[in-house]
Amino acid sequence: MTDLADLVSVAAAQGNPIDVLRLFLEREEQLETARKTDEMRFVGYVLELGFESAKIITSDPYKVAVGGIPRGSFLIMTPITASAKAKQPAPPHFTLLRVTGVSPTPLSSQVQQTYFELHKKSMPELDVWTQSELQWGALDCDVLGMFYPNPENAKELQFSGDVNNVVSAHRYKVYAPDRLLLELIVNGMVKQQDRATIGALRTMECGLNSSGAVIGIPVEVSMKDFKGCRTAMFGKTRLGKSNVVKLLAQAMLNATAGDKSVGQLIFDINGEYANDNPQDGDRSIRSANESRCHVYALTARPSTPSEPLRLNFYEEPASCLEVIASLLEQDNQRAIYVRSFASVSLPDLNEIPAMGISDKCRAVRLIQAYWACLNKAGFQKDEQRLRALNLKGSNVVKDFDCHFADSLRTAAYAAVRNNAPPPAPPTSLDTLQSELEVMAQFRRENPTHPALTSASGKQVFEPDMIALLEFLSPASGAGPSILRAYQQYHAANAGNFQQSILKHLDDGKTVILDLGNATDSIRRYFSNMLSTAVFREQERKFVSNSLGGHYVQLYFEEAHNLFPPDSKDLTGVYARFAKEGAKFHIGMVYSTQSPSTINKELLAQTENFFVGHLSSQDEVRALARVQVAFAGIEDDILRAKTPGYMRMLTMSHRFVVPTQAHKFEAKASAPVPSPAAAAA
């Protein structure tokens, strides 16, 4: 008949996941009574115990029975009062340990002396007494925390990063957890909603499993931990970062198939998310989810349905001239007049209305000279849109008039064309180009002409304007015609795709920007432009109280280009993602090879981490400094180089879980039902 103590112990864990501990300890007691040591999960006793670390003693037969105790593996420590047969059984709980290394025992020097004598004498076998002495050893462990039932809700599992008490070491036993306990340790605290299996528990890189080892424990994540949160992917190239990103993107698609509450924007710099490829079974996220994915591509690919992704070189002069400069550099265009053109600093159109009259006039001329170069190169134009740019009552652009003094126009046309200037200022890009070509030739042939000096004594054409004029109408060389190859990146109506992308995101779609053929500057341009558009849209919803439960997830690769470590800009869109993204329901997943290459502000705000192999001690130290959960496993990160072998830390996981990520297979699956739906 069950006694009162047994009833109290069982009732305390009834309906709580930690009830598996009771069943585990009962089985261990039965095996111990039956002397079936080879079937037990018992590994030893506690030698020293503190709040942060423990030293345990174990013996070879125990280690062999549980399939070995590799560094990084999980052990559980229970007080002897955890047994239901104890006089005063404690509430079910256990302390989680992580093995960090081998520790010397008090008899280590004597053991070494014995080994030395044995090998010196070449003894083939050990006598039973000597063998019994030599098979004992000690292991160092980190104390990760404690699992226990919630005192306010007996059916709920709780985990704390500390322990509630430390008593004498002899009052504890240490076990290697079985399958059910390992599943509790790895997945017990993961939120029940929107779960997905990301991989399998892998405590060591060595793939040789001994008899008794527990393998194949699934590692689960909740997609709620990623909505509106920052997720970092660190590790050397070709070791599985992109694979995990694909797993998360697909899991988010699966989790939101019913409510479409999350829109995803993937900046695909290698084209592997948008286009079918061999490494994903000749499929891709797009082809596996055709109805929910939209691709925008700079260069259309025959096998991938996509919409054009273009820049409007006229309407974003400051950033687009930087793009042109990078393309010219890439094409090795090194003529002096070309390099001068590429080094021109153009003003932002949004800044011009606030300038003084003189500065505004000079800024507008720079923009107009740049436009004339594009026009001469044959870039498609929409003059009606250009006339409307940034007017707002300030007449920034009006009929393409450069407002040259009448004396300058008269002198220039007389010297170059032998006639009077047109009575009206330029009213189109073609007439603007023609007038600036006259000015270019006149300035070059008459550099000291009085008309080139204003009434205030300043030169009419400053160095940047001269560089643009010399490029527009060079004394020798191809001039703007060398830009014709870059027309593939331009469209006169570009900019409208921003609204369609925002609409797709609002509808819970996944938008993939195929930037596989783009230069770094073009990638940065689109990343900045669309990130800014997303931020402003989510901010608008927040202010108007219309965010609801809708989120946007952004995926960045080569993140060190966007979040440099020494950046002091706390007002840029990426800095605001780190600071305010959660408030505006903006989450992001960013990948890079090294933690030290990422801005510390962003690292400090990052909630989820997936860390593969890092080859530098400085890198793992930087990681451990910003996220203390990685302290103690630096050596494992440095040594393990298996693709897909990740150290995972999410909002649900209070400690790092070593995981072998599944290989991504491009296939859509039904969303995982919630526990309530499953019960129904």
Side-chain angles (χ1 to χ4, degrees):
M1 181 177 180
T2 305
D3 59 21
L4 181 59
D6 290 338
L7 288 174
V8 171
S9 177
V10 172
Q14 194 73 37
N16 192 300
I18 206 170
D19 192 40
V20 298
L21 176 64
R22 176 182 63 83
L23 301 176
F24 174 83
L25 293 177
E26 287 180 357
R27 181 175 179 274
E28 287 295 304
E29 290 178 357
Q30 294 170 0
L31 292 173
E32 183 178 4
T33 302
R35 298 181 179 275
K36 295 183 178 180
T37 309
D38 58 336
E39 297 181 26
M40 294 175 60
R41 305 295 297 175
F42 176 77
V43 297
Y45 304 94
V46 179
L47 188 62
E48 294 179 7
L49 180 62
F51 287 105
E52 296 180 351
S53 62
K55 180 185 289 188
I56 67 171
I57 53 174
T58 183
S59 185
D60 291 346
Y62 297 144
K63 290 188 283 188
V64 171
V66 298
I69 308 177
R71 182 172 64 177
S73 58
F74 295 124
L75 300 176
I76 66 169
M77 182 179 72
T78 63
I80 57 176
T81 55
S83 170
K85 295 182 179 180
K87 293 182 180 180
Q88 294 181 332
H93 68 279
F94 65 86
T95 300
L96 182 64
L97 307 177
R98 181 176 61 212
V99 178
T100 59
V102 176
S103 177
T105 69
L107 301 178
S108 292
S109 59
Q110 293 92 325
V111 169
Q112 290 180 14
Q113 182 178 356
T114 302
Y115 274 128
F116 178 80
E117 294 295 333
L118 288 172
H119 289 300
K120 187 173 67 173
K121 296 176 181 179
S122 300
M123 291 184 64
E125 294 183 2
L126 301 177
D127 62 84
V128 65
W129 293 279
T130 304
Q131 186 178 35
S132 177
E133 291 292 329
L134 297 180
Q135 65 188 1
W136 286 89
L139 297 174
D140 284 326
C141 300
D142 284 338
V143 176
L144 299 182
M146 189 169 70
F147 284 91
Y148 59 95
N150 186 346
E152 299 179 359
N153 182 357
K155 293 185 178 182
E156 182 180 284
L157 181 68
Q158 289 281 88
F159 176 83
S160 66
D162 52 15
V163 295
N164 66 337
N165 196 15
V166 171
V167 296
S168 300
H170 74 281
R171 298 173 65 85
Y172 296 95
K173 290 183 177 182
V174 180
Y175 300 90
D178 63 1
R179 178 173 295 276
L180 292 178
L181 275 171
L182 274 175
E183 290 181 352
L184 175 72
I185 291 168
V186 173
N187 302 316
M189 298 304 299
V190 177
K191 300 177 181 66
Q192 294 298 319
Q193 305 94 328
D194 301 335
R195 279 195 175 197
T197 301
I198 204 78
L201 179 67
R202 183 174 183 175
T203 55
M204 60 179 174
E205 186 179 22
C206 179
L208 183 62
N209 294 305
S210 305
S211 176
V214 180
I215 60 175
I217 302 298
V219 174
E220 297 183 344
V221 296
S222 170
M223 300 317 295
K224 288 183 68 67
D225 288 339
F226 298 90
K227 294 179 181 180
C229 298
R230 287 131 296 218
T231 302
M233 303 280 170
F234 296 131
K236 303 293 284 184
T237 187
R238 306 306 300 166
L239 290 180
K241 298 191 300 296
S242 295
N243 180 73
V244 177
V245 172
K246 294 171 188 174
L247 291 173
L248 293 178
Q250 184 63 62
M252 190 66 78
L253 279 163
N254 296 340
T256 59
D259 55 23
K260 300 179 180 178
S261 59
V262 178
Q264 301 186 104
L265 178 58
I266 302 175
F267 295 93
D268 186 4
I269 65 174
N270 295 314
E272 58 183 309
Y273 300 88
N275 306 289
D276 297 347
N277 57 86
Q279 69 180 10
D280 297 330
D282 292 322
R283 298 194 75 192
S284 63
I285 283 183
R286 179 209 60 80
S287 59
N289 306 273
E290 289 189 84
S291 63
R292 299 186 61 196
C293 288
H294 294 270
V295 174
Y296 288 78
L298 276 173
T299 304
R301 311 196 190 208
S303 59
T304 303
S306 64
E307 298 179 47
L309 185 64
R310 295 289 185 270
L311 304 170
N312 192 319
F313 280 65
Y314 287 99
E315 295 184 6
E316 298 288 343
S319 55
C320 283
L321 182 54
E322 293 180 6
V323 171
I324 291 174
S326 70
L327 293 170
L328 291 169
E329 177 69 21
Q330 178 179 288
D331 291 342
N332 204 30
Q333 296 285 352
R334 298 186 179 277
I336 294 176
Y337 80 96
V338 175
R339 290 161 58 188
S340 296
F341 166 75
S343 64
V344 169
S345 177
L346 292 178
D348 191 301
L349 289 180
N350 294 317
E351 299 173 353
I352 296 178
M355 294 179 179
I357 295 176
S358 178
D359 291 338
K360 183 185 298 183
C361 183
R362 290 176 179 269
V364 169
R365 285 177 185 167
L366 287 175
I367 300 296
Q368 291 170 327
Y370 164 75
W371 284 350
C373 293
L374 296 180
N375 186 66
K376 190 171 183 179
F379 280 67
Q380 186 183 9
K381 59 202 174 189
D382 185 337
E383 294 186 354
Q384 191 62 36
R385 285 176 57 142
L386 296 184
R387 287 189 178 93
L389 279 180
N390 289 317
L391 286 175
K392 299 180 181 177
S394 61
N395 290 325
V396 174
V397 179
K398 183 178 181 182
D399 292 336
F400 303 100
D401 186 359
C402 290
H403 297 283
F404 290 128
D406 291 340
S407 59
L408 174 59
R409 295 186 75 224
T410 299
Y413 276 91
V416 175
R417 299 274 177 87
N418 293 317
N419 58 26
T427 58
S428 68
L429 279 178
D430 290 337
T431 54
L432 170 65
Q433 173 192 325
S434 178
E435 178 150 317
L436 289 176
E437 286 175 331
V438 170
M439 294 297 171
Q441 184 175 344
F442 175 68
R443 189 212 63 82
R444 184 167 55 247
E445 296 175 352
N446 304 274
T448 61
H449 197 285
L452 295 174
T453 303
S454 67
S456 61
K458 293 183 179 180
Q459 292 297 309
V460 174
F461 301 121
E462 70 277 12
D464 277 348
M465 187 65 177
I466 293 172
L468 291 171
L469 292 176
E470 285 299 306
F471 184 78
L472 174 66
S473 182
S476 63
S481 63
I482 65 175
L483 304 181
R484 293 184 62 83
Y486 312 141
Q487 292 186 60
Q488 59 177 315
Y489 303 121
H490 167 77
N493 60 350
N496 294 337
F497 68 85
Q498 289 187 52
Q499 295 304 316
S500 61
I501 288 176
L502 292 175
K503 179 64 167 60
H504 289 319
L505 296 177
D506 201 44
D507 291 339
K509 303 292 181 66
T510 293
V511 177
I512 305 174
L513 299 187
D514 183 358
L515 303 172
N517 296 327
T519 64
D520 288 341
S521 58
I522 289 179
R523 291 169 185 163
R524 284 195 298 269
Y525 176 88
F526 279 115
S527 296
N528 185 72
M529 178 179 64
L530 289 171
S531 295
T532 301
V534 168
F535 188 90
R536 288 175 177 170
E537 177 65 10
Q538 292 299 101
E539 185 178 37
R540 181 193 65 78
K541 291 181 180 179
F542 176 81
V543 172
S544 62
N545 196 27
S546 58
L547 270 178
H550 189 270
Y551 292 81
V552 175
Q553 296 291 113
L554 305 177
Y555 295 81
F556 300 105
E557 296 198 14
E558 304 296 334
H560 52 272
N561 292 325
L562 304 176
F563 312 101
D566 55 352
S567 175
K568 305 298 182 183
D569 180 14
L570 301 180
T571 61
V573 65
Y574 302 116
R576 298 192 70 183
F577 279 157
K579 294 287 188 180
E580 306 173 70
K583 178 172 66 177
F584 297 138
H585 288 191
I586 301 173
M588 65 178 175
V589 178
Y590 62 93
S591 306
T592 189
Q593 294 188 24
S594 305
S596 65
T597 62
I598 293 296
N599 187 278
K600 291 181 175 57
E601 289 291 332
L602 174 59
L603 278 175
Q605 301 294 331
T606 298
E607 296 92 346
N608 308 306
F609 293 84
F610 290 83
V611 181
H613 166 65
L614 299 173
S615 60
S616 167
Q617 292 183 348
D618 292 338
E619 296 297 340
V620 292
R621 290 194 193 105
L623 177 64
R625 281 196 298 269
V626 76
Q627 178 46 260
V628 70
F630 286 94
I633 61 171
E634 294 93 337
D635 287 343
D636 293 336
I637 295 173
L638 289 168
R639 292 173 182 270
K641 298 182 180 181
T642 301
Y645 188 20
M646 296 283 176
R647 272 59 178 195
M648 182 187 77
L649 182 70
T650 73
M651 291 184 68
S652 289
H653 295 94
R654 296 283 299 279
F655 49 86
V656 175
V657 178
T659 306
Q660 179 62 49
H662 291 324
K663 189 177 184 302
F664 172 73
E665 295 181 359
K667 59 181 181 180
S669 58
V672 179
S674 65

